[in-house]
Amino acid sequence: MTNQELIQKMYAAIHNAVAPSAPGNKAAPASIFTMMPQGSTIIPEDYDPEDSAANRNRLANTIPYVQKDYVSSGKVSDVYKQILTSQFPPDQEPTDEELKRLSDAEKYLEDSDHVDAYITGMVEFAKARDAYWSAANSGDPKAHLLKPEMDAAMLKWVSRGHKEKYESSLAVQHQFYQKSPSRLVEAASRVFEEAEDPLSGYEAVFLPKNWQDPKCALSWADILINEGTKRIHIHKDIEKVADNFTTHFSTGFWSVSSNSKYKDTVERLNQQSTACTTTLRMKIARVQIYRDWLNTSLMSYKTSWIPGLSAGQISNGTLQNTQGLSMPVLPTELVLAKDVEVYCNFSDEERRFLQDSKDETADLGVSFLWFRLGKEHSEYHDTVTDQEQTDYKCNAKISLGKQPMILGFINSVLPYYAYKDGTGMQAAPPLPKAERAVSPSLFCRAEQPQFFSLRAGE
């Protein structure tokens, strides 16, 4: 197995754990996982919700390119300003009956008990569904045992989460604001204008709120990947998405910064690294991102257009052919990693380098896979247990992630927008058909999941 083949296997395993697609290729993927080139170690004070709001908001206000490694392409707030300038269809005068239905629907949706029950049911179903999909995609022979749990979670959501009543109320909102877009646009514009803080930017809400605290009770899942890992299914559209990290690791798993004193050393180490003897295990967790100032339901008006922009120039509703688009995907979750263990049959020179440099307090400027080395980030073990040697065919290991790190982002695919070109005359091409999977990561705060809300949330 080559370095690139193992890297792709690692990516597929992590993607399948955090954002699994439905088994088979029947439905277009609703999301894609993008990995940080080097996992960003979380320094708690840098992401404190009270004292470091700007850093947190910056994470949520970044648009990534549609590729497997995370690279910024712009700001969500800048593209949203363009969406707010859209030419929306004219209002239709609502009837008294429509106003009455809207009032009843919004009264129901504003009840916090109804919101909590719906969100709880949705999250539990999504968790059960992802567990089944992830197992099925990895060829787990016991995957079929998880499907009844998924079905039971759906039944519970319907019965206790008031799913049908809640979604019928959302449908009433949707129908009303499709006929009266100006109300929604005015409210969304007002909320957006009021949301910007001169110092910290546009506020984002993370759940759990204190995710940066090592003591935060996140739900961690174990991942193990090595040469013997079965082929894991990820959607064909995701497989086709470009990546830079396979090229980055083409000469080996070691990388070095331009100003590191170990450049020549790393070049020699890469000539000796062997992919087939590398095993990666770690724990991962997800943190949801919400933006109360962003209302993506504005992108649902089928006759809207933006002066000067082509049809579909904001997003095309898929993961393919996204070059030049402003915001084809939106980050909706952080993926964190900790307790990372890399087992490898290291060469003698690799072991000498790891042993000699393990106590250096300065940043080495050296990484193995996606993880930075050095006393602040990692610990080298020159010996392993007999069981580890047997299981992983290794002679040493590196423990990384003393502090949890940001491994990457889950990004939701946005709907096709705008629907006409910048003259408002030429209709957009037919929309791609995509089955949107239910996700606990709504685009706005969990307490306000309404798809059409005058508080700018969905």
Side-chain angles (χ1 to χ4, degrees), residues 17-39:
V18 298
S21 302
N25 287 325
K26 295 180 181 179
S31 59
I32 185 171
F33 170 61
T34 53
M35 293 190 72
M36 300 283 276
Q38 292 183 340

Side-chain angles (χ1 to χ4, degrees), residues 17 220-224 281-284 338-339:
W220 295 93
D222 292 303
I223 287 185
L224 172 67
R281 66 181 308 162
M282 61 182 169
K283 297 182 183 294
I284 56 172
K338 72 172 185 177
D339 298 344

Side-chain angles (χ1 to χ4, degrees), residues 172-438:
V172 170
Q173 276 193 325
H174 175 84
Q175 293 167 3
F176 182 87
Y177 292 116
Q178 281 291 304
K179 293 183 178 181
S180 303
S182 66
R183 298 191 184 201
L184 188 64
V185 174
E186 289 171 7
S189 299
R190 183 176 64 253
V191 170
F192 181 63
E193 290 171 1
E194 296 171 353
E196 184 177 19
D197 185 287
L199 297 178
S200 61
Y202 292 93
E203 181 182 9
V205 177
F206 294 82
L207 294 179
K209 180 179 180 181
N210 293 314
W211 58 269
Q212 82 291 342
D213 188 337
K215 297 178 182 179
C216 182
L218 291 164
S219 179
W220 295 93
D222 292 303
I223 287 185
L224 172 67
I225 316 116
N226 58 23
E227 187 273 339
T229 301
K230 292 182 179 178
R231 185 183 185 278
I232 294 175
H233 168 78
I234 57 175
H235 194 279
K236 57 182 176 59
D237 288 356
I238 296 171
E239 288 183 333
K240 293 178 181 177
V241 168
D243 58 66
N244 291 330
F245 50 67
T246 54
T247 302
H248 182 69
F249 295 121
S250 61
T251 58
F253 287 162
W254 297 89
S255 58
V256 61
S257 61
S258 58
N259 59 350
S260 173
K261 65 181 181 180
Y262 293 109
K263 287 181 67 176
D264 293 340
T265 302
V266 167
E267 184 175 345
R268 291 196 305 272
L269 298 181
N270 268 330
Q271 295 172 1
Q272 303 172 15
S273 62
T274 306
C276 64
T277 64
T278 302
T279 295
L280 173 66
R281 66 181 308 162
M282 61 182 169
K283 297 182 183 294
I284 56 172
R286 300 173 1 183
V287 177
Q288 298 171 37
I289 305 172
Y290 303 107
R291 307 164 182 83
D292 283 351
W293 48 268
L294 176 67
N295 190 335
T296 57
S297 61
L298 295 174
M299 302 170 72
S300 69
Y301 293 100
K302 300 291 192 292
T303 58
S304 58
W305 51 283
I306 302 177
L309 295 188
S310 302
Q313 192 168 337
I314 299 294
S315 56
N316 64 6
T318 75
L319 293 174
Q320 302 302 314
N321 303 316
T322 60
Q323 187 174 0
L325 303 188
S326 302
M327 191 166 65
V329 295
L330 179 72
T332 51
E333 293 181 80
L334 292 177
V335 177
L336 310 184
K338 72 172 185 177
D339 298 344
V340 181
E341 303 280 1
V342 178
Y343 300 88
C344 193
N345 193 27
F346 292 106
S347 69
D348 290 342
E349 185 165 359
E350 286 176 310
R351 297 177 75 173
R352 280 195 298 271
F353 167 74
L354 288 165
Q355 186 67 41
D356 294 344
S357 62
K358 71 176 186 178
D359 293 327
E360 287 197 28
T361 55
D363 188 356
L364 302 179
V366 178
S367 297
F368 189 81
L369 292 170
W370 295 278
F371 311 108
R372 294 170 64 189
L373 301 183
K375 190 172 183 179
E376 297 299 315
H377 309 287
S378 62
E379 182 178 359
Y380 172 64
H381 307 269
D382 197 46
T383 59
V384 293
T385 66
D386 291 342
Q387 190 64 51
E388 289 173 328
Q389 189 173 20
T390 300
D391 291 345
Y392 307 130
K393 299 179 178 63
C394 63
N395 58 13
K397 71 176 180 179
I398 309 172
S399 298
L400 306 118
K402 292 183 177 181
Q403 287 283 109
M405 65 188 75
I406 300 174
L407 189 64
F409 293 80
I410 299 173
N411 310 282
S412 292
V413 178
L414 290 177
Y416 190 103
Y417 198 79
Y419 287 87
K420 295 184 177 182
D421 73 6
T423 66
M425 299 299 291
Q426 179 181 328
L431 299 183
K433 188 71 174 178
E435 180 181 322
R436 297 295 174 204
V438 175

Side-chain angles (χ1 to χ4, degrees), residues 109-155:
L109 294 170
E110 288 170 359
D111 188 309
S112 60
D113 290 340
H114 296 156
V115 174
D116 291 343
Y118 182 83
I119 291 294
T120 299
M122 181 182 65
V123 171
E124 290 179 353
F125 168 73
K127 184 177 181 180
R129 179 212 59 198
D130 284 358
Y132 167 61
W133 283 5
S134 182
N137 289 336
S138 62
D140 187 339
K142 297 183 179 180
H144 66 282
L145 299 177
L146 297 175
K147 189 175 187 304
E149 296 182 16
M150 180 185 73
D151 295 338
M154 172 59 79
L155 290 174

